[in-house]
């Protein structure tokens, strides 16, 4: 598992080049955490690369949105 926290200055790089680099390195799961948007994108290993599985967001009350949380297998 790799967790990448996005920052305004590197957001574009983190979402494209770094995600591709992690995929090529064989990473099985990648979380891209965006503190400004208060969400995380979950990417998992597909047949050839990392594929987006879900997004973790927050409800108005500030609790995780469990409806979009990926299941542990």
């Amino acid at each position: 598992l790799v967790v990448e926290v996005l920052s305004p200055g590197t957001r574009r790089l983190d979402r494209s080049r770094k995600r591709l680099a992690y995929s090529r390195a064989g990473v099985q799961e990648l979380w891209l955490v965006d503190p400004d948007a208060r969400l995380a994108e979950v990417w998992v290993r597909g047949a050839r690369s990392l594929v987006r599985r879900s997004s973790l967001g927050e409800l108005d009350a500030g609790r995780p949105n469990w409806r979009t949380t990926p299941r542990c297998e």
Side-chain angles (χ1 to χ4, degrees):
L1 170 64
V2 172
V3 178
E4 184 77 41
V5 178
L6 305 177
S7 64
T10 62
R11 182 172 284 126
R12 182 175 282 165
L13 173 69
D14 296 341
R15 280 205 162 109
S16 59
R17 291 184 189 165
K18 278 190 171 180
R19 190 183 71 219
L20 181 58
Y22 288 135
S23 183
R24 288 181 178 160
V27 168
Q28 296 297 306
E29 186 167 347
L30 170 65
W31 287 34
L32 295 176
V33 179
D34 188 336
D36 292 335
R38 300 181 67 120
L39 64 87
E41 296 175 1
V42 178
W43 296 76
V44 295
R45 169 75 37 205
R48 294 184 171 193
S49 63
L50 291 170
V51 293
R52 187 172 170 174
R53 181 171 182 177
S54 64
S55 292
L56 303 171
E58 290 190 345
L59 299 173
D60 292 338
R63 294 182 301 251
N65 184 345
W66 300 114
R67 291 176 296 205
T68 58
T69 304
R71 292 185 342 220
C72 294
E73 298 176 0

